Amino acid sequence: MLLKKLILTLLLGGLIMTGLSAKTAFVYFSATGTTERMAKNTAKEMGADIFEIQPVHKYTDADLDWHNKKSLSSIECNDPKSRPSIKAVVSTSSTTAFDISGYDTVVVCYPIWWAYAPKIVYTFVESQNWAGKKMITLCTSGGSGLGRSGTDLSKFAKGVDFKGGKDFTRGSGADVKKYIEGLLK
Ligand SMILES: Cc1cc2nc3c(=O)[nH]c(=O)nc-3n(C[C@H](O)[C@H](O)[C@H](O)COP(=O)(O)O)c2cc1C
């Protein structure tokens, strides 16, 4: 009898946990792999789904040269209207396309470019229906941190419930998980 109860509790607990984690999705853009690592480690730790924003034009080293005012990243960062095209937002473990309707919370992860999120992340945010959804923003940076990048991005997510964000260039997946769970409490 006791064993039956225990098995039932474990089963139910497992189901509830799977249900909870399935409702959070990670969506990341990463040009050189740092943000990708952070997002993947955390999503794995949380058992959450993870999707990559793939640009139509893959950024080359020359595109990413911030010393050059004429590099693609500099041009995009200096143009408030820039919205680079997205090829796909796909699962990293299958070919499934991202569908926001299946999630309560979307954790948007990106590198800091000139103190803000890259413009392609704005393309993503503007293309989604955020009504009733929570958003958390995580970044990696060379040291300047999240700054106003999260709040600025959230302005373009109509109807979103923005919970906050943080720079996680350093820190384990477990640290990030703890931070996210704290925000969603
Ligand atoms: C075009 C460009 C602009 C950047 N601007 C900043 C900045 O303003 N502040 C900062 O701390 N780091 C800046 N960085 C560094 C990146 O934020 C950092 O290397 C990040 O971890 C890269 O992530 P990724 O590998 O996922 O692309 C910039 C990098 C690039 C390519």
Short mmCIF file of all heavy atoms in Angstrom, two decimals, residues 132-175:
data_model
loop_
_atom_site.label_atom_id
_atom_site.label_comp_id
_atom_site.label_asym_id
_atom_site.label_seq_id
_atom_site.Cartn_x
_atom_site.Cartn_y
_atom_site.Cartn_z
N GLY A 132 -0.43 37.47 -23.06
CA GLY A 132 -0.51 36.43 -22.04
C GLY A 132 0.80 35.67 -21.82
O GLY A 132 0.81 34.69 -21.08
N LYS A 133 1.87 36.10 -22.45
CA LYS A 133 3.16 35.38 -22.30
C LYS A 133 4.13 36.17 -21.43
O LYS A 133 4.13 37.39 -21.42
CB LYS A 133 3.82 35.18 -23.68
CG LYS A 133 2.93 34.57 -24.73
CD LYS A 133 2.66 33.11 -24.45
CE LYS A 133 1.70 32.54 -25.49
NZ LYS A 133 1.24 31.21 -25.14
N LYS A 134 4.99 35.41 -20.75
CA LYS A 134 6.05 36.04 -19.96
C LYS A 134 7.35 35.99 -20.77
O LYS A 134 7.58 35.02 -21.50
CB LYS A 134 6.27 35.27 -18.65
CG LYS A 134 5.06 35.23 -17.75
CD LYS A 134 5.41 34.48 -16.46
CE LYS A 134 4.19 34.27 -15.60
NZ LYS A 134 3.48 33.03 -15.91
N MET A 135 8.16 37.02 -20.58
CA MET A 135 9.45 37.03 -21.27
C MET A 135 10.56 37.32 -20.27
O MET A 135 10.41 38.17 -19.40
CB MET A 135 9.47 38.08 -22.38
CG MET A 135 10.78 38.17 -23.10
SD MET A 135 10.64 39.09 -24.66
CE MET A 135 11.17 40.67 -24.13
N ILE A 136 11.66 36.57 -20.42
CA ILE A 136 12.88 36.81 -19.63
C ILE A 136 14.00 36.98 -20.64
O ILE A 136 14.05 36.27 -21.65
CB ILE A 136 13.16 35.61 -18.69
CG1 ILE A 136 12.08 35.52 -17.61
CG2 ILE A 136 14.55 35.74 -18.04
CD1 ILE A 136 12.14 34.26 -16.77
N THR A 137 14.90 37.95 -20.39
CA THR A 137 16.01 38.15 -21.34
C THR A 137 17.34 37.82 -20.66
O THR A 137 17.63 38.34 -19.59
CB THR A 137 16.04 39.60 -21.85
OG1 THR A 137 16.07 40.49 -20.73
CG2 THR A 137 14.82 39.91 -22.70
N LEU A 138 18.12 36.95 -21.31
CA LEU A 138 19.45 36.62 -20.82
C LEU A 138 20.46 36.98 -21.89
O LEU A 138 20.21 36.75 -23.08
CB LEU A 138 19.56 35.12 -20.53
CG LEU A 138 18.57 34.51 -19.53
CD1 LEU A 138 18.86 33.01 -19.39
CD2 LEU A 138 18.64 35.20 -18.17
N CYS A 139 21.59 37.55 -21.47
CA CYS A 139 22.60 37.90 -22.46
C CYS A 139 23.97 37.39 -22.07
O CYS A 139 24.19 36.95 -20.93
CB CYS A 139 22.65 39.42 -22.65
SG CYS A 139 23.46 40.27 -21.29
N THR A 140 24.89 37.43 -23.05
CA THR A 140 26.31 37.33 -22.74
C THR A 140 26.93 38.59 -23.32
O THR A 140 26.38 39.19 -24.25
CB THR A 140 26.98 36.07 -23.35
OG1 THR A 140 27.01 36.19 -24.78
CG2 THR A 140 26.26 34.80 -22.95
N SER A 141 28.04 39.01 -22.74
CA SER A 141 28.66 40.26 -23.20
C SER A 141 30.15 40.24 -22.90
O SER A 141 30.65 39.36 -22.20
CB SER A 141 28.02 41.46 -22.48
OG SER A 141 28.50 41.56 -21.15
N GLY A 142 30.85 41.25 -23.41
CA GLY A 142 32.27 41.38 -23.13
C GLY A 142 32.50 42.06 -21.80
O GLY A 142 33.65 42.29 -21.42
N GLY A 143 31.44 42.42 -21.11
CA GLY A 143 31.59 43.03 -19.78
C GLY A 143 30.59 44.13 -19.48
O GLY A 143 30.41 44.51 -18.33
N SER A 144 29.92 44.66 -20.51
CA SER A 144 29.02 45.79 -20.24
C SER A 144 27.69 45.36 -19.64
O SER A 144 26.95 46.18 -19.11
CB SER A 144 28.82 46.64 -21.50
OG SER A 144 28.07 45.94 -22.44
N GLY A 145 27.36 44.08 -19.71
CA GLY A 145 26.16 43.57 -19.04
C GLY A 145 24.87 43.81 -19.80
O GLY A 145 24.87 44.34 -20.91
N LEU A 146 23.76 43.43 -19.16
CA LEU A 146 22.44 43.50 -19.81
C LEU A 146 21.99 44.94 -20.09
O LEU A 146 21.36 45.20 -21.12
CB LEU A 146 21.39 42.81 -18.92
CG LEU A 146 20.01 42.66 -19.55
CD1 LEU A 146 19.94 41.38 -20.37
CD2 LEU A 146 18.93 42.63 -18.48
N GLY A 147 22.33 45.85 -19.19
CA GLY A 147 21.93 47.26 -19.36
C GLY A 147 20.44 47.41 -19.58
O GLY A 147 19.64 46.78 -18.90
N ARG A 148 20.07 48.23 -20.58
CA ARG A 148 18.65 48.44 -20.88
C ARG A 148 18.17 47.52 -22.00
O ARG A 148 17.07 47.70 -22.53
CB ARG A 148 18.43 49.90 -21.28
CG ARG A 148 18.44 50.86 -20.10
CD ARG A 148 17.84 52.20 -20.51
NE ARG A 148 18.64 52.84 -21.54
CZ ARG A 148 19.66 53.68 -21.29
NH1 ARG A 148 19.98 53.95 -20.07
NH2 ARG A 148 20.33 54.22 -22.28
N SER A 149 19.01 46.56 -22.40
CA SER A 149 18.68 45.75 -23.59
C SER A 149 17.37 44.98 -23.42
O SER A 149 16.59 44.88 -24.37
CB SER A 149 19.82 44.80 -23.93
OG SER A 149 19.97 43.82 -22.92
N GLY A 150 17.13 44.46 -22.21
CA GLY A 150 15.92 43.66 -21.99
C GLY A 150 14.67 44.52 -22.02
O GLY A 150 13.69 44.18 -22.71
N THR A 151 14.70 45.63 -21.31
CA THR A 151 13.51 46.50 -21.27
C THR A 151 13.24 47.07 -22.66
O THR A 151 12.08 47.19 -23.07
CB THR A 151 13.67 47.67 -20.27
OG1 THR A 151 15.01 48.10 -20.28
CG2 THR A 151 13.26 47.29 -18.88
N ASP A 152 14.30 47.40 -23.40
CA ASP A 152 14.10 47.94 -24.74
C ASP A 152 13.44 46.90 -25.65
O ASP A 152 12.46 47.20 -26.35
CB ASP A 152 15.42 48.41 -25.34
CG ASP A 152 15.19 49.26 -26.56
OD1 ASP A 152 14.65 50.38 -26.40
OD2 ASP A 152 15.48 48.81 -27.68
N LEU A 153 13.94 45.69 -25.58
CA LEU A 153 13.38 44.60 -26.40
C LEU A 153 11.91 44.37 -26.05
O LEU A 153 11.07 44.17 -26.94
CB LEU A 153 14.19 43.33 -26.11
CG LEU A 153 14.25 42.25 -27.16
CD1 LEU A 153 14.75 42.79 -28.49
CD2 LEU A 153 15.18 41.14 -26.68
N SER A 154 11.61 44.41 -24.77
CA SER A 154 10.24 44.11 -24.32
C SER A 154 9.23 45.14 -24.85
O SER A 154 8.05 44.84 -24.99
CB SER A 154 10.17 44.01 -22.80
OG SER A 154 10.33 45.26 -22.20
N LYS A 155 9.71 46.35 -25.18
CA LYS A 155 8.81 47.37 -25.74
C LYS A 155 8.26 46.95 -27.09
O LYS A 155 7.24 47.45 -27.54
CB LYS A 155 9.58 48.69 -25.94
CG LYS A 155 9.80 49.47 -24.66
CD LYS A 155 10.40 50.82 -25.02
CE LYS A 155 11.43 51.26 -24.03
NZ LYS A 155 12.43 52.16 -24.60
N PHE A 156 8.97 46.06 -27.76
CA PHE A 156 8.57 45.62 -29.09
C PHE A 156 7.78 44.31 -29.04
O PHE A 156 7.43 43.76 -30.08
CB PHE A 156 9.79 45.49 -30.00
CG PHE A 156 10.44 46.82 -30.25
CD1 PHE A 156 11.36 47.34 -29.35
CD2 PHE A 156 10.10 47.56 -31.37
CE1 PHE A 156 11.95 48.58 -29.56
CE2 PHE A 156 10.68 48.81 -31.59
CZ PHE A 156 11.60 49.32 -30.69
N ALA A 157 7.53 43.83 -27.82
CA ALA A 157 6.77 42.58 -27.65
C ALA A 157 5.40 42.98 -27.09
O ALA A 157 5.20 42.99 -25.88
CB ALA A 157 7.49 41.65 -26.69
N LYS A 158 4.50 43.31 -27.98
CA LYS A 158 3.17 43.83 -27.57
C LYS A 158 2.45 42.89 -26.62
O LYS A 158 2.27 41.70 -26.94
CB LYS A 158 2.30 44.00 -28.83
CG LYS A 158 2.18 45.44 -29.24
CD LYS A 158 1.00 45.56 -30.20
CE LYS A 158 1.19 46.73 -31.13
NZ LYS A 158 0.41 46.59 -32.34
N GLY A 159 2.04 43.42 -25.47
CA GLY A 159 1.23 42.62 -24.53
C GLY A 159 2.02 41.72 -23.63
O GLY A 159 1.46 40.97 -22.84
N VAL A 160 3.37 41.76 -23.72
CA VAL A 160 4.18 40.81 -22.95
C VAL A 160 4.22 41.18 -21.46
O VAL A 160 4.05 42.35 -21.09
CB VAL A 160 5.63 40.77 -23.51
CG1 VAL A 160 6.48 41.94 -23.01
CG2 VAL A 160 6.31 39.44 -23.16
N ASP A 161 4.43 40.17 -20.64
CA ASP A 161 4.67 40.37 -19.23
C ASP A 161 6.18 40.17 -19.04
O ASP A 161 6.65 39.04 -18.91
CB ASP A 161 3.85 39.32 -18.44
CG ASP A 161 4.11 39.39 -16.94
OD1 ASP A 161 4.78 40.34 -16.49
OD2 ASP A 161 3.63 38.48 -16.24
N PHE A 162 6.92 41.26 -19.04
CA PHE A 162 8.38 41.17 -18.96
C PHE A 162 8.83 40.98 -17.51
O PHE A 162 8.54 41.82 -16.66
CB PHE A 162 9.02 42.43 -19.57
CG PHE A 162 10.51 42.46 -19.49
CD1 PHE A 162 11.27 41.42 -20.03
CD2 PHE A 162 11.18 43.52 -18.90
CE1 PHE A 162 12.66 41.43 -19.96
CE2 PHE A 162 12.58 43.55 -18.83
CZ PHE A 162 13.31 42.50 -19.36
N LYS A 163 9.50 39.87 -17.24
CA LYS A 163 9.85 39.54 -15.85
C LYS A 163 11.23 40.04 -15.44
O LYS A 163 11.55 40.08 -14.26
CB LYS A 163 9.81 38.01 -15.64
CG LYS A 163 8.51 37.35 -16.00
CD LYS A 163 7.32 37.97 -15.34
CE LYS A 163 7.05 37.48 -13.96
NZ LYS A 163 5.79 38.05 -13.40
N GLY A 164 12.09 40.36 -16.41
CA GLY A 164 13.43 40.83 -16.08
C GLY A 164 14.49 40.05 -16.83
O GLY A 164 14.16 39.17 -17.63
N GLY A 165 15.75 40.37 -16.55
CA GLY A 165 16.83 39.68 -17.27
C GLY A 165 18.16 39.91 -16.61
O GLY A 165 18.28 40.69 -15.66
N LYS A 166 19.18 39.21 -17.13
CA LYS A 166 20.49 39.27 -16.51
C LYS A 166 21.58 38.80 -17.48
O LYS A 166 21.29 38.02 -18.39
CB LYS A 166 20.48 38.35 -15.28
CG LYS A 166 21.55 38.67 -14.27
CD LYS A 166 21.32 37.88 -12.99
CE LYS A 166 22.55 37.97 -12.12
NZ LYS A 166 22.44 37.31 -10.86
N ASP A 167 22.80 39.30 -17.24
CA ASP A 167 23.96 38.84 -18.01
C ASP A 167 24.47 37.55 -17.37
O ASP A 167 24.77 37.52 -16.18
CB ASP A 167 25.05 39.92 -17.96
CG ASP A 167 26.26 39.58 -18.81
OD1 ASP A 167 26.60 38.38 -18.93
OD2 ASP A 167 26.89 40.51 -19.34
N PHE A 168 24.56 36.49 -18.18
CA PHE A 168 25.09 35.22 -17.68
C PHE A 168 26.27 34.74 -18.51
O PHE A 168 26.37 33.57 -18.87
CB PHE A 168 23.99 34.15 -17.62
CG PHE A 168 23.24 34.17 -16.32
CD1 PHE A 168 21.95 34.67 -16.25
CD2 PHE A 168 23.84 33.70 -15.15
CE1 PHE A 168 21.26 34.71 -15.04
CE2 PHE A 168 23.16 33.74 -13.94
CZ PHE A 168 21.87 34.24 -13.88
N THR A 169 27.18 35.67 -18.82
CA THR A 169 28.42 35.28 -19.51
C THR A 169 29.15 34.26 -18.63
O THR A 169 29.76 33.33 -19.13
CB THR A 169 29.33 36.50 -19.74
OG1 THR A 169 28.54 37.55 -20.30
CG2 THR A 169 30.48 36.17 -20.67
N ARG A 170 29.07 34.52 -17.34
CA ARG A 170 29.62 33.57 -16.37
C ARG A 170 28.48 32.95 -15.56
O ARG A 170 27.42 33.55 -15.45
CB ARG A 170 30.59 34.29 -15.44
CG ARG A 170 31.97 34.38 -16.05
CD ARG A 170 32.83 35.44 -15.44
NE ARG A 170 33.70 36.02 -16.45
CZ ARG A 170 33.38 37.05 -17.23
NH1 ARG A 170 32.21 37.64 -17.09
NH2 ARG A 170 34.21 37.47 -18.15
N GLY A 171 28.75 31.76 -15.03
CA GLY A 171 27.71 31.10 -14.23
C GLY A 171 27.30 29.80 -14.89
O GLY A 171 27.31 29.70 -16.12
N SER A 172 26.93 28.83 -14.07
CA SER A 172 26.55 27.51 -14.59
C SER A 172 25.09 27.51 -15.00
O SER A 172 24.33 28.43 -14.65
CB SER A 172 26.77 26.47 -13.51
OG SER A 172 25.86 26.71 -12.46
N GLY A 173 24.71 26.44 -15.70
CA GLY A 173 23.30 26.27 -16.05
C GLY A 173 22.43 26.26 -14.81
O GLY A 173 21.31 26.79 -14.80
N ALA A 174 22.96 25.68 -13.73
CA ALA A 174 22.21 25.61 -12.47
C ALA A 174 21.98 27.02 -11.89
O ALA A 174 20.91 27.31 -11.35
CB ALA A 174 22.96 24.74 -11.47
N ASP A 175 22.98 27.90 -12.03
CA ASP A 175 22.83 29.29 -11.55
C ASP A 175 21.71 29.99 -12.32
O ASP A 175 20.88 30.69 -11.74
CB ASP A 175 24.12 30.10 -11.78
CG ASP A 175 25.28 29.60 -10.95
OD1 ASP A 175 25.02 29.02 -9.88
OD2 ASP A 175 26.44 29.78 -11.37
#
